[in-house]
Amino acid sequence: MTEPNPLRWRLLGLLAVAQFMLILDVTVVAIALPTIETDLGLRRETLTWVVSAYTLMFGGLMLLGGRAADLFGSRRVVLTGLLVFTAASLTTGLADGPELLIGGRVAQGIGAAILSPAALSVVTRTFDGEERNKALGIWSAMGGGGSAIGVLLGGLLTAGPGWPWVFYVNVPIGLIVFALLLRMLPADRPAGQPGRLDVPGALLVTAGTAAAIYGLINAGDRGWLSAATLGALGAAIILYGAFAAVQRSVRSPLMDLRILTRRTVAAGTFMILVATALMIAMFFLGSFYLQHFQQYGALRTGLLFLPVAVAAIAGAQAAGRLVGTTGARPVAIAGFAVAALGLAAPAIWDGAAVIVIGMTVGTIGVGAAFVAASTTTFAQVDYREAGLASGILSTFHEFGASLGVAVVSSVAAASLAGTVSTGFVRGFTFAAITAAVAAVLALGVVPALKSSTGEVHSAH
């Protein structure tokens, strides 16, 4: 038995800070978007890509990043990913137009996809037994906390030094963490397993999702049944089909697609996709409603989001205690039903207070759905497949964010581009219906399993 690394808890702290930055970058821009739109004169479609470009690359290349850590060693991959993410954050903050802004967000997503799975692989290798469970709990809390704190930090930075600091803030943190990890990360040898990176597979699945998002974003202006929208969605289906064919034919596939045929994994990925889409849609609509329509400042908006952020954590905590005794199915149904109720409020009534209360109730439900999703996914997964299952869950988490903001930006296009509130009503109505349908589907899709330990796995 090898001696545990004496610096392991410090190492965990540094890796958790890095992961915190990556997750924070999904939601920190939500509050800054209206200011970025005004400063750079962006169109609605471009604005949507500020969120989607990051989550698309993060999700699309994450499995490739995990595979790279196995083949080239985690230390090298973690440090590379952190440098790419930090440099890309600086570039994005310097953006004076849409090209550099979206390019920087793409590069940030690539850095995040390299860093996140490799960092998690270091954590799982550094700790054993009960310590590993504790370490993964800390890792999960940093991921969940990043989403919640992102909206508040976005308001503080946008109202203070300005929106570029939403991205600049990553630079000093990234450089300090890099310098410390350079000294502390143990050298590791690449796994002796033969194999190569399935780059074509990663490119096909990312291109397929990009085509779907492109079609969904443009549907707001061109129409849902226009040739451009249907053509983009058709291209997405073809690219996904090509991805499936490549996965069956290559020697070292990115993903063993058979794992998705298991009911538990299929149900978990469905729930994580919908739950993330709902959460990002809420943050996106709420931010624009409060800042554009109600003319609130970024700081006031960020502070109003604080109960929403706390509600997500509270919902997850409550679900974590319930899932061990009731099983994931009742938690999933209740979670999506509560989310639907919360989202229905701003769809029916107008006003800032209604928006904040509705989103707070909605995120309690979404937080519970996250827990149901992760516990269901891991319910019948062998420890040798835990890495693959975790990678798939994280991938669908990021894709959910990309798709959620793409769809809701098209549904609410009238309000995002003008000064009427009809688009917001449509956006919240669509989200409420989606949550209600997910609650009904959960009844049939989620298997009636109880978690033997009540242990909650993170969605990140």
Side-chain angles (χ1 to χ4, degrees):
M1 180 84 181
T2 55
E3 280 293 307
N5 183 340
L7 299 174
R8 62 192 180 283
W9 293 107
R10 282 189 213 167
L11 187 59
L12 171 68
L14 289 172
L15 293 170
V17 167
Q19 173 73 358
F20 180 80
M21 284 198 302
L22 308 186
I23 302 302
L24 182 128
D25 251 63
V26 178
T27 55
V28 75
V29 295
I31 306 295
L33 281 176
T35 311
I36 295 172
E37 178 190 35
T38 307
D39 273 13
L40 300 185
L42 302 183
R43 295 174 61 199
R44 178 190 63 82
E45 302 93 313
T46 311
L47 206 64
T48 309
W49 278 110
V50 177
V51 177
S52 290
Y54 178 70
T55 51
L56 172 66
M57 301 313 289
F58 194 173
L61 301 176
M62 193 168 324
L63 290 171
L64 193 70
R67 190 91 179 101
D70 290 340
L71 293 176
F72 306 125
S74 300
R75 175 189 160 89
R76 190 183 301 175
V77 175
V78 164
L79 293 172
T80 303
L82 186 55
L83 267 188
V84 171
F85 180 80
T86 306
S89 296
L90 178 63
T91 304
T92 313
L94 291 168
D96 55 359
E99 296 82 10
L100 196 58
L101 184 71
I102 304 298
R105 288 295 276 169
V106 165
Q108 274 191 304
I110 292 169
I114 297 168
L115 171 57
S116 185
L120 184 56
S121 142
V122 173
V123 172
T124 53
R125 261 207 333 274
T126 306
F127 294 91
D128 277 315
E130 197 51 48
E131 275 198 347
R132 181 183 290 176
N133 290 339
K134 190 177 173 186
L136 289 174
I138 293 168
W139 179 267
S140 308
M142 291 301 267
S147 295
I149 292 165
V151 283
L152 180 61
L153 189 63
L156 288 169
L157 292 171
T158 306
W163 68 260
W165 281 91
V166 164
F167 305 109
Y168 287 155
V169 73
N170 294 325
V171 179
I173 298 169
L175 290 174
I176 291 165
V177 172
F178 180 86
L180 293 169
L181 284 177
L182 199 59
R183 287 171 42 208
M184 288 172 60
L185 263 179
D188 60 334
R189 294 188 176 188
Q193 54 183 336
R196 57 182 64 189
L197 285 176
D198 177 19
V199 176
L203 294 177
L204 282 168
V205 74
T206 308
T209 309
I213 291 165
Y214 178 80
L216 293 169
I217 290 173
N218 288 316
D221 296 322
R222 297 181 182 176
W224 291 91
L225 296 176
S226 68
T229 302
L230 294 177
L233 296 177
I237 292 167
I238 292 166
L239 287 162
Y240 282 139
F243 168 70
V246 165
Q247 296 311 284
R248 283 197 297 271
S249 61
V250 296
R251 194 185 308 163
S252 303
L254 196 64
M255 183 195 298
D256 183 351
L257 293 175
R258 287 172 301 183
I259 197 171
L260 287 173
T261 62
R262 288 187 212 166
R263 190 177 167 192
T264 49
V265 177
T269 49
F270 156 74
M271 285 191 285
I272 204 79
L273 187 83
V274 176
T276 315
L278 290 172
M279 179 169 271
I280 297 297
M282 268 192 275
F283 286 172
F284 188 82
L285 287 172
S287 177
F288 273 91
Y289 180 87
L290 293 171
Q291 292 185 75
H292 260 196
F293 194 68
Q294 294 287 354
Q295 297 291 301
Y296 290 177
L299 180 59
R300 189 177 178 185
T301 302
L303 290 170
L304 283 172
F305 264 87
L306 195 54
V308 182
V310 171
I313 297 168
Q317 290 294 320
R321 288 192 294 272
L322 278 171
V323 80
T325 51
T326 65
R329 186 195 280 174
V331 172
I333 295 166
F336 284 121
V338 169
L341 282 173
L343 286 159
I348 299 166
W349 298 288
D350 199 16
V354 175
I355 289 269
V356 174
I357 293 166
M359 289 199 302
T360 302
V361 173
T363 45
I364 290 173
V366 171
F370 277 134
V371 172
S374 47
T375 49
T376 301
T377 303
F378 288 101
Q380 295 176 337
V381 167
D382 184 82
Y383 74 93
R384 284 165 298 200
E385 298 173 310
L388 174 62
S390 180
I392 289 171
L393 199 66
S394 299
T395 299
F396 276 84
H397 180 275
E398 301 306 324
F399 282 170
S402 300
L403 295 169
V405 76
V407 174
V408 87
S409 114
S410 275
V411 173
S415 290
L416 299 179
T419 54
V420 292
S421 64
T422 49
F424 293 120
V425 171
R426 280 187 204 134
F428 280 112
T429 303
F430 177 81
I433 292 168
T434 302
V437 169
V440 174
L441 287 175
L443 186 62
V445 171
V446 182
L449 295 169
K450 287 191 182 180
S451 171
S452 56
T453 61
E455 180 184 287
V456 177
H457 297 262
S458 168
H460 300 292

